[in-house]
Amino acid sequence: MTLALHTPARPEGTPAPSAAGLRATARILARLDEGGTSRSSAVGSGGAVTRLPVLDGDGPFALRRVGAPGRQARVCVVGAMSAPLGGDRLGLDATVEAGAALHLTAAAATVALPGRTGEPAHYDVRLTVGDGARLDWLPEPLISAAGSDLRMTTTVELAPTARLVLREEQVLGRSGEETGALHSRLTVRRAGRTLLDQETAYGPGVLGWDGSAVLGGHRAVGQLLVVTPDFDDRPADVRLLGGAAGERPAADEGQGVLAPLAGPAALATAVAPDALRLRRLLDEAVRSAAAG
């Protein structure tokens, strides 16, 4: 999810944050329609299309269909107000039913900011992908501003033949400022079994997060997860990211690695001085995973 860096006017009907923080959840449902009905609620021309029977924005989440030909529906999350602030509890639920395809992105970076209560903000993303379905979850970076405290969880439930491309990018502090506190957990289950479960923490109160064994002075960190049944027969190769072929990546340009998981998946992890160089590394990981 991505939210604007400024504070736009609050749309009519949007709930105002209270002293205890804002409560809001956005919901998306993608469903395969093999009849190819009207373009007002479906994407594609003829044959099977993906409909969006539920596209329910709430609070800071404004959901927009993005027109595109083909079977995959595309949705962009646009920020309707600055969030998450301290004390907020936000959620985004996306379900892609069997055979459907959804590309979910955002319009700008999400900026975690301090609130009035001193309490942490919570942002929970829940993704469900059915058999033969595909989800591309490609939000813009999450920026942890100085003084903020964000607890973020991403939980993914995959059917045995589901496909997933998931990108996470975290930038620790805006230009010239210290980072806030950021605790993040990513859990991915396939056919009810855990494929990936990892937890990270950065910023004030976390020991060693900026040491050479973790970020080594970098301020942008990210990962890209690709899950596809294609890896059952041919797992992804281990590859270093960044630098010319056969050369060790330069530390000031960022570094990363793409490696197979114990399942039909590949995980790229990268660190870089800034969001631009981090994105280059993760884009390279996408190309490498696709090339096998």
Side-chain angles (χ1 to χ4, degrees):
M1 192 232 12
T2 60
L3 302 178
L5 302 182
H6 61 285
T7 306
R10 181 165 54 89
E12 184 178 353
T14 301
S18 66
L22 179 69
R23 307 294 189 264
T25 300
R27 294 176 175 83
I28 303 168
L29 174 62
R31 176 175 295 160
L32 183 67
D33 179 3
E34 296 183 354
T37 56
S38 67
R39 290 187 59 83
S40 63
S41 59
V43 176
S45 55
V49 295
T50 296
R51 291 170 49 85
L52 300 169
V54 177
L55 195 62
D56 182 17
D58 186 22
F61 303 103
L63 306 179
R64 301 287 183 262
R65 292 182 177 90
V66 180
R71 180 175 177 175
Q72 189 175 46
R74 302 174 70 91
V75 174
C76 181
V77 182
V78 180
M81 64 176 70
S82 292
L85 306 177
D88 289 353
R89 289 185 174 270
L90 308 179
L92 188 148
D93 295 346
T95 298
V96 187
E97 294 185 347
L102 175 65
H103 181 106
L104 185 56
T105 184
T110 299
V111 184
L113 297 166
R116 292 174 291 178
T117 67
E119 297 179 358
H122 294 262
Y123 178 30
D124 300 317
V125 176
R126 295 169 288 272
L127 310 172
T128 304
V129 189
D131 269 318
R134 172 172 179 148
L135 172 63
D136 294 348
W137 169 236
L138 302 171
E140 293 300 308
L142 167 67
I143 301 174
S144 178
S148 65
D149 187 354
L150 176 63
R151 315 296 169 88
M152 181 169 184
T153 65
T154 301
T155 305
V156 186
E157 297 286 350
L158 301 174
T161 59
R163 298 173 185 266
L164 173 74
V165 179
L166 180 150
R167 182 180 69 210
E168 285 190 342
E169 297 169 314
Q170 298 164 346
V171 179
L172 305 178
R174 293 170 293 191
S175 179
E177 74 173 9
E178 297 296 321
T179 183
L182 175 60
H183 297 251
S184 176
R185 183 170 183 176
L186 170 62
T187 304
V188 181
R189 288 184 285 267
R190 176 177 179 265
R193 301 182 65 178
T194 300
L195 180 67
L196 177 66
D197 191 354
Q198 67 177 31
E199 189 168 0
T200 57
Y202 308 106
V206 180
L207 296 177
W209 68 273
D210 198 24
S212 58
V214 186
L215 296 186
H218 291 299
R219 282 297 181 270
V221 57
Q223 57 191 355
L224 181 117
L225 175 67
V226 179
V227 183
T228 170
D230 297 340
F231 288 149
D232 276 326
D233 298 325
R234 188 175 64 175
D237 296 327
V238 176
R239 301 186 185 185
L240 293 179
L241 304 174
E247 296 182 3
R248 185 179 180 85
D252 60 353
E253 290 297 319
Q255 302 178 56
V257 63
L258 173 69
L261 296 181
L267 178 67
T269 303
V271 295
D274 54 51
L276 177 60
R277 283 177 276 196
L278 178 66
R279 177 65 61 84
R280 289 173 180 166
L281 291 171
L282 296 183
D283 285 347
E284 180 184 342
V286 171
R287 294 189 296 269
S288 297

